[in-house]
Amino acid sequence: MKYFESAEQALSCVESGQTIMVGGFGLVGGPLTLIDELVEYDVNDLTIISNNLGEKGEGLGKLLEYNKIKKAIGSYFTGNKDVGEALLQGKIEVQLLPQGTLAEAIRAGGAGIGGFYTKTSVGTALAEGKETKVIDGEEYVFEKALKADVAIIRAHKADKLGNLIYYKTARNFNPLMATAAKVVIAEVDEIVEVGDLGSDEIVTPHLFVDRIIIAEKILTREGVKVR
């Protein structure tokens, strides 16, 4: 079993200067327990690959407040005004990718593909400095694959081997990120016996998952709550 008693123990592999993938779309599907522990952890200069940087004071927004993020790679940063302020003050670097491009770059990283050509961003500022190629008479932009040292993700259930299933839209980027990092840490609502998850339910096979914790913080309609 890959179960760890606490988020602190599970994050013992994280070091300053690493690249960390973080699942979630807004706060939905975000590993809130692991993120909050990372705030307290003695690491900095992190590169965060995530759709966004949480919300002000919540999720990855806390990590930003504590000046632990050196660079953010993602799609939707305007949901947290602190990101724009930090960028203007020179506190962080931001690499903006279209959302589909972000997802495909993570998938490519997990599949061992070095990169891919896409028409998205052709002729825009997002294509500046990137390789382009004409294919069948149309211009494409080359995007490099994304990989990470560690991925922290959120799932609904795990069995004791580490097979994962997800809850509705909380699935979002989590399964892709589970394939594209050297170490994958998942927080879940429940750990069940091997065989309790139907084979057709399993989205992330256990071979991709290294560490599991029980989520202490959950997202409700009223906000983030302690279990």
Side-chain angles (χ1 to χ4, degrees), residues 5 22 29 34 65 93 107 129 136 161 173 225:
E5 291 286 345
V22 184
L34 289 165
E65 284 184 358
E93 179 184 350
R107 190 200 68 81
D136 293 334
L161 285 176
F173 288 90
K225 304 290 184 182

Side-chain angles (χ1 to χ4, degrees), residues 157-163 191-195 197 202 206 212:
K157 289 182 183 180
D159 66 17
K160 290 184 177 180
L161 285 176
N163 293 302
I191 299 175
V192 300
E193 295 295 330
V194 175
L197 302 180
I202 294 169
H206 65 90
I212 306 167

Side-chain angles (χ1 to χ4, degrees), residues 114-136:
F116 58 96
Y117 287 96
T118 175
K119 291 176 66 177
T120 307
S121 82
V122 169
T124 73
L126 296 182
E128 292 178 2
K130 296 180 179 180
E131 176 190 344
T132 61
K133 186 174 184 178
V134 176
I135 302 173
D136 293 334

Side-chain angles (χ1 to χ4, degrees), residues 19-20 45-54 60 64 68-77 83 86-87 91-97 102 146:
T19 297
I20 314 292
D45 293 330
L46 299 174
T47 295
I48 300 295
I49 300 174
S50 188
N51 182 63
N52 56 288
L53 290 184
L60 287 171
L64 181 64
K68 293 179 177 288
I69 300 175
K70 176 183 69 175
K71 181 178 180 178
I73 301 173
S75 296
Y76 186 71
F77 297 123
V83 179
L87 178 64
K91 293 182 178 180
I92 65 168
E93 179 184 350
V94 168
Q95 181 181 344
L96 187 63
L97 292 174
L102 174 66
L146 291 174

